[in-house]
Amino acid sequence: SPNEAVRGKTAQLLGLQKDSDEGAERLVEMLSDSDGLVRRFACESLRRLGVQCDPQKLVPLLESNDRMLVFAARRLLESISSESWKEPFLQSNSNKLIIQSSLALMIADPTPANGQRVIGRITQAMGGFVSDRDFLDMLRTIQVALHRSGVRTNEMQELRNRMVEEFPAGEPLINRELIRLAVYLQATEISDRAIAYLQSDAPMSERVHLAMHLKFLQRKWSSTEMFAIMKFFEEATKSDGGSSYPLY
């Protein structure tokens, strides 16, 4: 049965891990196995043994919709010299591969130069067609790159412009990440759109999230803008749970 076949391959994997010389080649072959669980175990075993396999063999795994398999493949990629894969992977037309290789690079070699390379490539990829799921992952990958690489925010003008252009999006989760990044980058150009969003009929929870971030946007607010923000907070305190807002 399929389950028995997987169990048999899993038992073989455990045996292969005990002898890296004889098992490494077979483990690499198992990266192309028809069963996702076997592919995941093969990734974990190769990483544990420190085997430097051909990174191209990981591409189908990194593009998978199986999150556990993707995680195992990315962890294996992190253990392989980034010089052998970072440029071809980042230049790929696959958004999933760009995201996962960017994360791997920011874990394995988070230099300022690599951080700029990752952020620049993701910003460029955002200009094409990107699913909501991939777009959200791109925004969060950029946050990882900014945090780990030490890239200076004043060098990120193209990224700032992109955050302003994309806000507001139709997906609430994307809007949350956009406003986090916009405020962190001090993209003051977003203020007009932010005020309009506060005055829209968007869900109260999303508008509160936005308003709580605006206090960190360092700009000279006009009296009209300040009035709009204060008016929103006044209205928000009347909603469910609003009585606690002044504490924050």
Side-chain angles (χ1 to χ4, degrees), residues 123-167:
T123 304
Q124 180 185 37
M126 285 177 171
F129 173 77
V130 184
S131 67
D132 284 355
R133 178 71 258 179
D134 286 346
F135 196 88
L136 185 62
D137 287 345
M138 284 180 172
L139 292 173
R140 289 172 173 168
T141 301
I142 287 174
Q143 293 172 13
V144 173
L146 288 169
H147 175 69
R148 289 187 59 83
S149 70
V151 173
R152 297 172 61 182
T153 56
N154 59 5
E155 300 173 349
M156 298 287 104
Q157 185 60 50
E158 185 178 355
L159 177 60
R160 281 199 296 271
N161 293 342
R162 175 64 64 183
M163 297 301 99
V164 174
E165 290 172 7
E166 296 291 345
F167 184 84

Side-chain angles (χ1 to χ4, degrees), residues 51-136:
V51 175
Q52 295 280 301
C53 68
D54 180 0
Q56 287 295 331
K57 293 184 178 297
L58 300 178
V59 172
L61 284 63
L62 293 167
E63 294 177 330
S64 170
N65 291 321
D66 182 337
R67 284 185 172 272
M68 295 183 72
L69 175 58
V70 171
F71 176 77
R74 195 189 74 232
R75 293 293 288 163
L76 177 57
L77 183 66
E78 294 163 13
S79 69
I80 302 172
S81 172
S82 61
E83 294 304 317
S84 66
W85 54 262
K86 70 176 180 180
E87 284 306 320
F89 281 21
L90 289 177
Q91 285 298 328
S92 170
N93 292 322
S94 167
N95 291 328
K96 291 183 183 299
L97 185 56
I98 293 171
I99 292 165
Q100 295 304 323
S101 58
S102 294
L103 281 173
L105 188 58
M106 288 298 93
I107 292 169
D109 192 16
T111 65
N114 282 338
Q116 287 186 330
R117 183 74 184 85
V118 162
I119 293 171
R121 180 64 184 102
I122 292 178
T123 304
Q124 180 185 37
M126 285 177 171
F129 173 77
V130 184
S131 67
D132 284 355
R133 178 71 258 179
D134 286 346
F135 196 88
L136 185 62

Side-chain angles (χ1 to χ4, degrees), residues 178-221:
L178 284 172
I179 198 62
R180 285 189 178 108
L181 276 167
V183 172
Y184 179 81
L185 295 167
Q186 290 300 308
T188 56
E189 301 87 348
I190 205 171
S191 57
D192 290 344
R193 297 186 180 202
I195 296 297
Y197 191 80
L198 286 183
Q199 298 172 332
S200 73
D201 59 354
M204 178 60 72
S205 59
E206 303 307 321
R207 287 185 285 158
V208 168
H209 179 273
L210 170 62
M212 296 298 285
H213 279 77
L214 288 183
K215 64 176 290 186
F216 299 106
L217 196 59
Q218 299 170 8
R219 68 183 301 273
K220 184 175 177 60
W221 297 93

Side-chain angles (χ1 to χ4, degrees), residues 18-47:
K18 297 177 182 178
D19 192 332
S20 59
D21 292 334
E22 295 182 7
E25 185 176 345
R26 179 66 182 123
L27 285 171
V28 172
E29 291 176 1
M30 285 184 168
L31 292 175
S32 302
D33 193 87
S34 59
D35 188 272
L37 187 60
V38 172
R39 295 196 297 273
R40 175 160 67 90
F41 285 170
C43 287
E44 294 170 352
S45 299
L46 287 167
R47 182 173 183 272

